[in-house]
Amino acid sequence: MPVNEPAVSYNSLRISQADYISMEKESAQKNEYYKGEIFAMAGASPRHNKIHTNLFLGVGFQLKGKPCQPYGSDLRIHIPENTLYTYPDISIICGDIVTAITDKETAIRPTVLIEILSLSTKDYDRGTKFKLYRDIPTLQEYVIVDSESISIEIFKKNNALHWELEEYKSTEDTMAIKCLDVHLSLIEIYDGAKLEM
């Protein structure tokens, strides 16, 4: 099943954050929330899942025994600064998980977020979603991994609090999540994804 850009659910009905949390706990599928609207999320393709597995295991191995840990897409992230509730592909949180005031099962304040793109979500993940992610005061790096081609973009917050882009486009490259001292080769990340190397 392809990954689809979140689609608005429940027509134009606007609901409170508390009602969203209550509905989400009973929902069979994941939904994002933004400014009163709910956005349905679809499942992921086998290629997306393979890349996710490679990334999660690779990052997790390098962070073993360290204070920062990766969490999968079942962890809901809330951004109080702009109301977004979302499920990043991988969230990396340093120290103890800080939970939202609205829900003790929802985390806030990640250090790194990783999204794996598909054809239908790439514009959203690079544009609107990244703009909303930039409101997270603890976020240091945002990693965007293409699932249709060998391409990784990492946006890093510099000392002036401006975002700088680093790109990796070859299986000979090794990407660096510098704030975590994590380094993964692209050939490892895309292993088994059946893309032309």
Side-chain angles (χ1 to χ4, degrees):
M1 180 186 299
V3 179
N4 295 316
E5 183 166 346
V8 179
S9 300
Y10 309 103
N11 299 318
S12 60
L13 176 66
R14 293 184 179 273
I15 66 170
S16 69
Q17 294 183 44
D19 286 343
Y20 160 75
I21 293 296
S22 296
M23 292 173 62
E24 196 68 359
K25 288 180 179 179
E26 303 297 325
S27 177
Q29 71 171 17
K30 297 174 188 171
N31 299 282
E32 290 190 346
Y33 173 96
Y34 181 60
K35 290 189 175 178
E37 293 185 290
I38 293 176
F39 301 83
M41 301 178 70
S45 68
R47 179 180 289 161
H48 180 286
N49 280 316
K50 180 60 179 168
I51 294 168
H52 180 277
T53 298
N54 293 342
L55 275 166
F56 192 83
L57 291 175
V59 170
F61 179 77
Q62 293 193 35
L63 291 178
K64 189 173 182 178
K66 297 181 180 180
C68 302
Q69 295 298 312
Y71 297 85
S73 59
D74 284 335
L75 180 65
R76 185 169 51 244
I77 296 289
H78 175 48
I79 307 174
E81 289 78 7
N82 58 38
T83 78
L84 180 69
Y85 288 82
T86 186
Y87 296 85
D89 287 311
I90 299 174
S91 304
I92 301 172
I93 296 174
C94 296
D96 294 333
I97 291 180
V98 179
T99 58
I101 295 172
T102 51
D103 177 51
K104 296 306 178 185
E105 296 177 10
T106 301
I108 60 174
R109 307 302 186 238
T111 301
V112 175
L113 294 175
I114 302 174
E115 295 285 10
I116 301 167
L117 304 181
S118 70
L119 287 174
S120 58
T121 64
K122 63 182 182 180
D123 291 339
Y124 173 64
D125 287 339
R126 282 197 180 105
T128 301
K129 192 172 234 185
F130 181 35
K131 183 177 180 181
L132 295 173
Y133 281 170
R134 292 199 299 268
D135 286 338
I136 302 172
T138 55
L139 189 68
Q140 296 298 311
E141 300 190 36
Y142 177 45
V143 182
I144 301 174
V145 181
D146 199 331
S147 67
E148 302 298 322
S149 64
I150 307 296
S151 177
I152 296 177
E153 299 169 320
I154 302 184
F155 292 89
K156 305 170 190 286
K157 190 186 292 184
N158 64 22
N159 292 335
L161 305 182
H162 297 144
W163 291 90
E164 298 176 344
L165 170 63
E166 288 187 5
E167 296 183 88
Y168 305 90
K169 294 184 176 292
S170 168
T171 53
E172 296 179 358
D173 290 340
T174 296
M175 77 161 197
I177 304 176
K178 292 181 179 176
C179 69
L180 302 175
D181 194 26
V182 166
H183 301 81
L184 288 173
S185 68
L186 269 64
I187 198 165
E188 178 183 358
I189 293 167
Y190 286 101
D191 181 46
K194 299 182 179 178
L195 290 172
E196 290 187 13
M197 297 293 188

